[in-house]
Each structure stands twice: as structure tokens, then as C-alpha cells.
């Protein structure tokens, strides 16, 4: 028999417990002389640790230490953070944002959901369409993707590209090059999807090796890239295909033991420290349906040690060797997706249709492969960052860089940097002469 109606559910009930017991956030610059302490006390809920770490990571803060306690119904965290230069957080805007995003207003006003520029979603602001691409990576692939979009009269206004273990994941934000609005014509979108799939598939007949999707959900960009590569099973195949790409110093050591007394599985990660390391680990554990009850994060010089006490959402621990190995492989992949020994090319130019197609074509013709990329437009200015390496696997020759400068230097500003590691490079390094902030690059271009 059909129901006449469903029971009424008051949407205010969902936030009732938060309003009765609002979260407490304290930004403390007095207790420690070397860093800022961010203390969070809140009702416990699924995914809360990832939300907190995500906010700190999006502000480009370095987490040097952290203590997590979320047993029972309450969640208590202490984070020791600095800026990218190792200084305390003193800017009032940054402190205010932390307090607002993590405090009562952040939960009741859905600050996390409205934070523009860090999310994926079709028509989220009415002026772009979000496209997700995954497939097998190869030299020149990104150039082919951007060329197809330019030929179909799509303008790329933002993009994030990750590669790992010979797989590629792209998030592209495009609009119509004449109207500057999102494209909702099913015929045009279908044509674009078919052509992009053909490029991603290359010479392979298997349709499952490439995927093109139009994103409808609202998800954090970095988290979505992790999810896409995880779904593409980039963690499979061991390290055989990546030994040449990742030096031994970047190989993480991951162990999983059992805490019988408390009924937890203990995941211990030791590796070279870097920005957003904690986010990548917590993101992966969360998306694999594991709950972090306790955690301790420390960094000693260039290395980090992180320990997580976890259970699966169903309350079970990791008891079989197969479960343990799968988690270890997935965490290794999550850590390595951001690891890079490549060169960073920062480009600034006046935005125009086909700019990305032209730039990536020049990189391909000069024998460079793009391993990661970030594409941004601010007003009429395009600001792009490419992590590149020689397509043959050898170190990039400085003559290649000088050739790039001559070929594209007439129409855009080019800055070349070596990827920064935790060990400070000697002052005499040939790369230090060309290393300066991206903000100053934009300033020089505008001048």
C-alpha cells in the first residue's frame, strides 16, 4: 500500500548537538616560541579530523606536531603549525579564518561547503563546467587534451593535474570561449567526452583504461584527485614502475600492528617530511572507511613520524595480511602522488583561448613531460605552474630551459625553480639564481 506521506524531519535537528555543545577553537601564539598552537575541542563526528586538517593544509600551513584524541563522543586536537618559512601565524586574516572555519560559525554556516576555489562541481558558480579525466599517462598527453578543448572552443579557466605510477588524473574547469559561461549543450559535451576518451585511451582497445566524467558533486579538489587515482588503482603493481622516479629517501616506511589492549590497529608512517603529508594520509584512511581515534604526529628535521590508531567504520581492526598490505600500498601511493624531484615552471601571461595548448605543445616539443600542473586565472591574468622532467628520464638540461625562455619569453613571464626539499640547498646552486616568489613574477608581468 502506498504511503500518503513521509514523517517530517526538521533540518535544524542535524545541527542541534553542535549548537548545544559548540566547538571551541584557540589559536595560541604564547605557549611555544617556535610555532603557533591550534587547539580544537568539538563533538566527535565522522570525518571531522579530515575537515580540520584540510583547512590547515589549504592555508599552506606546515603541521610540525599534532596530538589527536577522539575516543568517545568528544574530539580534542592540538596542532603545532608554522607558515611555509617556519614562522608563527601572526596575520590576523589567517587567524580569523581558522577560528571561523573551525568554530561554531564554520559548522552552522557551512563554511567548508562555500569555500570557493577548492571544490569540484558542475555549475557551482554558474560560469564553468567541471570535467574529471583519468587514464594512462604518456609524454605529450596533456598537450593533446588542451588542444582538443581549444579546437572545440572550450576555454580552460582552471585545472589540477596529478600523475602517479603511469596514471593521470585531471580536474578541468572549462567554459564556452565566446560566452564565458558553463556549457550545458548535451551534444557539445558528448562530443568533447568522446574525443577526450579517445585521446586518453590511445592505442588501447580496452574502454576501461580511460574515463571522462562531468562532475556533479561538491568535493575538495585534492581529495577528489586522491579518490580518482585510488579508483583507478594506481597503487597496484608495487614499486617496480616507480623506482626510477622516486629516490630511496622518498620511500615511506609503513607498518601496521595491533593494539590488543584497546582494540585498535596501529598504522605507523615514517618518511621524508613535506607539506600536506598529514592531509594525504588522513584523506586516504577516511576514504578507505577507517576512523582515526588517536594520532601522534612529529617531525624531526627533514623526516616525519606519524602514528594512527584506527578501526574500520564497522568497528573491526585489520586482522588479515591482505587487508594490511592493501592499506600500506594505498598509503604509499597517497604519499608519493605529491613527491617530486622535478623542475617547477611558473608562467604568467595574459589569458587567452588556446594558451594552454600552446604552452604544453612547446614543452612537449622540447622533450619535457608534465608530472603535475596547476592552472589558474585571476581576472585577465593566467598563472600556471608545471612540474616537468625530461621525457627520457634524464635530468633536465639547462639548454632546454634557455630554449624555452627564447621561445615563449616574448609573450609571458617564465620562472624556473628546483623543487624545494627539507634539506636546504647550497647558496651556490645554479637554480637559486632563478628562484623567486610567484607573487613577484605576477608583479613583474603587470609592470
Amino acid at each position: 500500500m502506498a504511503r500518503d506521506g513521509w514523517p517530517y524531519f526538521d533540518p535544524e535537528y542535524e545541527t542541534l548537538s553542535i549548537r548545544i555543545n559548540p566547538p571551541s577553537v584557540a589559536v595560541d601564539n604564547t605557549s611555544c616560541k617556535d610555532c603557533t598552537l591550534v587547539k580544537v575541542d568539538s563533538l566527535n563526528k565522522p570525518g571531522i579530523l579530515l575537515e580540520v586538517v584540510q583547512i590547515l593544509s589549504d592555508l599552506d600551513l606546515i603541521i610540525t606536531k599534532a596530538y589527536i584524541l577522539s575516543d568517545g563522543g568528544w574530539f580534542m586536537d592540538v596542532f603545532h603549525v608554522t607558515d611555509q618559512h617556519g614562522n608563527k601565524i601572526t596575520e590576523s586574516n589567517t587567524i580569523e579564518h581558522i577560528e571561523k572555519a573551525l568554530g561554531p560559525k564554520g559548522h552552522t554556516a557551512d563554511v567548508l561547503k562555500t569555500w570557493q576555489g577548492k571544490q569540484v562541481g558542475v555549475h557551482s558558480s554558474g560560469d564553468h563546467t567541471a570535467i574529471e579525466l583519468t587514464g594512462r599517462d604518456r609524454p605529450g598527453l596533456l598537450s593533446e587534451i588542451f588542444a582538443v578543448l581549444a579546437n572545440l572552443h572550450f576555454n580552460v579557466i582552471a585545472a589540477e593535474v596529478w600523475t602517479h605510477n603511469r596514471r593521470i588524473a585531471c580536474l578541468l574547469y572549462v567554459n564556452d570561449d565566446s560566452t564565458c559561461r558553463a556549457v550545458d549543450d548535451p551534444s557539445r559535451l558528448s562530443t568533447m567526452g568522446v574525443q577526450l576518451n579517445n585521446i586518453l585511451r590511445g592505442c588501447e582497445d580496452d574502454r576501461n583504461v580511460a574515463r571522462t566524467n562531468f562532475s556533479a558533486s561538491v568535493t575538495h579538489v585534492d581529495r577528489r584527485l586522491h579518490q580518482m587515482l585510488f579508483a583507478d588503482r594506481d597503487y597496484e603493481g608495487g614499486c617496480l614502475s616507480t623506482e626510477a622516479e622516486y629516490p630511496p629517501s622518498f620511500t615511506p616506511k609503513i607498518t601496521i600492528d595491533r593494539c590488543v589492549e584497546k582494540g585498535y590497529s596501529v598504522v605507523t608512517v615514517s618518511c621524508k617530511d613535506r607539506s600536506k603529508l598529514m592531509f594525504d594520509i588522513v584523506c586516504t584512511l577516511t576514504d578507505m572507511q577507517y576512523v582515526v581515534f588517536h594520532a601522534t604526529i612529529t617531525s624531526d628535521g627533514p623526516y616525519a613520524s606519524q602514528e594512527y590508531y584506527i578501526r574500520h567504520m564497522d568497528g573491526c581492526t585489520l586482522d588479515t595480511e591482505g587487508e594490511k598490505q592493501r592499506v600500506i600500498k594505498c598509503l604509499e601511493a597517497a604519499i608519493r602522488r605529491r613527491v617530486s624531484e622535478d623542475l617547477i615552471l611558473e608562467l604568467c601571461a595574459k589569458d587567452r583561448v588556446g594558451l594552454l595548448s600552446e604552452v604544453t605543445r612547446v614543452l612537449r616539443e622540447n622533450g619535457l613531460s608534465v608530472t603535475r600542473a596547476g592552472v589558474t586565472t585571476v581576472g585577465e591574468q593566467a598563472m600556471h605552474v608545471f612540474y616537468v622532467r625530461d621525457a627520457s628520464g634524464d635530468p633536465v638540461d639547462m639548454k632546454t630551459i634557455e630554449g624555452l625562455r627564447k621561445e615563449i619569453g616574448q609573450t609571458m613571464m617564465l620562472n624556473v625553480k628546483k623543487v624545494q626539499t627539507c634539506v636546504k640547498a647550497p647558496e651556490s646552486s645554479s637554480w637559486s639564481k632563478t628562484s623567486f616568489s610567484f607573487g613577484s613574477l605576477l608583479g613583474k608581468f603587470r609592470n
Side-chain angles (χ1 to χ4, degrees):
M1 183 173 66
R3 293 175 178 239
D4 292 332
W6 293 97
Y8 174 73
F9 178 77
D10 187 351
E12 292 294 316
Y13 181 78
E14 186 177 359
T15 60
L16 177 62
S17 59
I18 294 176
R19 286 182 281 117
I20 294 175
N21 300 287
S24 169
V25 181
V27 180
D28 178 4
N29 269 318
T30 59
S31 299
C32 182
K33 65 177 183 178
D34 299 324
C35 62
T36 298
L37 271 59
V38 178
K39 305 174 185 178
V40 182
D41 293 337
S42 171
L43 278 176
N44 198 8
K45 65 173 184 177
I48 187 171
L49 176 59
L50 179 58
E51 288 183 5
V52 174
V53 175
Q54 173 182 304
I55 288 171
L56 298 179
S57 297
D58 285 345
L59 291 169
D60 288 329
L61 303 183
I62 304 297
I63 300 174
T64 58
K65 291 182 182 179
Y67 305 97
I68 313 299
L69 175 62
S70 60
D71 236 344
W74 205 252
F75 172 82
M76 293 178 286
D77 290 7
V78 178
F79 297 91
H80 295 232
V81 300
T82 67
D83 63 17
Q84 292 286 328
H85 304 289
N87 302 318
K88 288 186 176 184
I89 312 306
T90 56
E91 291 187 4
S92 58
N93 289 341
T94 303
I95 294 174
E96 182 181 349
H97 182 84
I98 293 173
E99 293 173 340
K100 182 178 180 181
L102 298 179
K105 294 181 180 179
H107 289 82
T108 58
D110 289 334
V111 168
L112 295 177
K113 296 180 181 179
T114 58
W115 196 347
Q116 296 298 321
K118 288 290 182 181
Q119 297 177 342
V120 183
V122 174
H123 312 315
S124 61
S125 62
D127 60 357
H128 68 256
T129 301
I131 311 167
E132 299 179 353
L133 307 176
T134 53
R136 187 181 300 278
D137 189 29
R138 66 177 185 275
L141 176 60
L142 203 58
S143 173
E144 296 176 39
I145 291 172
F146 289 138
V148 164
L149 293 173
N151 289 337
L152 294 174
H153 302 287
F154 288 94
N155 185 36
V156 180
I157 57 176
E160 289 287 337
V161 180
W162 286 6
T163 64
H164 175 252
N165 207 8
R166 300 177 183 173
R167 308 300 297 176
I168 186 170
C170 305
L171 288 173
L172 306 174
Y173 299 81
V174 303
N175 59 23
D176 183 86
D177 64 4
S178 59
T179 66
C180 296
R181 301 292 297 173
V183 177
D184 53 12
D185 181 352
S187 177
R188 285 189 68 187
L189 294 177
S190 177
T191 300
M192 175 175 61
V194 169
Q195 294 194 24
L196 290 176
N197 257 338
N198 289 339
I199 287 175
L200 288 166
R201 194 160 57 239
C203 299
E204 300 186 49
D205 295 329
D206 188 357
R207 294 180 177 272
N208 294 322
V209 300
R211 296 180 183 87
T212 300
N213 298 312
F214 299 100
S215 178
S217 61
V218 178
T219 310
H220 185 266
V221 168
D222 288 2
R223 184 178 185 182
R224 186 60 191 143
L225 287 165
H226 276 302
Q227 290 173 343
M228 291 165 62
L229 287 170
F230 174 76
D232 204 38
R233 308 177 78 89
D234 73 321
Y235 54 86
E236 292 186 340
C239 301
L240 295 177
S241 61
T242 58
E243 284 178 349
E245 299 176 13
Y246 302 101
S249 60
F250 283 107
T251 302
K253 181 180 179 182
I254 303 173
T255 60
I256 299 179
D257 301 306
R258 188 175 180 185
C259 178
V260 179
E261 182 181 352
K262 297 292 185 180
Y264 298 123
S265 292
V266 185
V267 179
T268 303
V269 180
S270 300
C271 65
K272 200 162 188 177
D273 199 12
R274 62 164 175 78
S275 176
K276 301 189 179 183
L277 176 63
M278 185 179 181
F279 170 83
D280 294 337
I281 293 173
V282 173
C283 178
T284 301
L285 291 173
T286 302
D287 285 335
M288 294 183 74
Q289 306 298 306
Y290 290 101
V291 179
V292 176
F293 291 88
H294 305 278
T296 303
I297 283 77
T298 58
S299 60
D300 183 13
Y303 295 97
S305 176
Q306 304 194 7
E307 190 174 65
Y308 298 89
Y309 290 75
I310 67 171
R311 293 192 198 112
H312 197 270
M313 287 188 69
D314 60 11
C316 298
T317 55
L318 285 79
D319 296 325
T320 68
E321 191 61 28
E323 289 177 307
K324 293 179 182 179
Q325 288 302 313
R326 183 170 182 268
V327 171
I328 288 173
K329 286 183 178 180
C330 291
L331 289 176
E332 284 180 348
I335 292 170
R336 282 178 157 159
R337 285 168 195 151
R338 281 195 218 259
V339 169
S340 176
E341 287 266 283
D342 308 326
L343 288 183
I344 303 176
L345 304 183
E346 298 176 336
L347 297 100
C348 185
K350 185 174 182 180
D351 190 34
R352 57 181 169 81
V353 177
L355 175 63
L356 280 169
S357 176
E358 176 187 331
V359 170
T360 50
R361 174 185 57 78
V362 171
L363 295 179
R364 181 192 65 199
E365 291 173 350
N366 281 271
L368 298 177
S369 291
V370 178
T371 59
R372 277 170 55 200
V375 172
T376 308
T377 53
V378 179
E380 294 184 350
Q381 308 302 325
M383 298 181 292
H384 307 327
V385 180
F386 297 95
Y387 290 71
V388 300
R389 65 172 56 139
D390 192 281
S392 65
D394 298 326
V396 178
D397 193 328
M398 277 299 294
K399 293 181 180 179
T400 302
I401 300 302
E402 292 307 316
L404 279 177
R405 289 188 186 279
K406 293 178 181 179
E407 191 163 356
I408 64 177
Q410 301 298 320
T411 57
M412 63 188 73
M413 295 289 293
L414 172 64
N415 180 31
V416 183
K417 297 198 299 186
K418 188 74 171 68
V419 174
Q420 293 293 321
T421 62
C422 293
V423 181
K424 187 175 180 180
E427 292 299 326
S428 60
S429 170
S430 61
W431 300 107
S432 63
K433 297 178 183 178
T434 59
S435 178
F436 54 96
S437 71
F438 201 47
S440 66
L441 180 71
L442 178 60
K444 286 188 175 184
F445 178 80
R446 284 175 171 167
N447 291 334

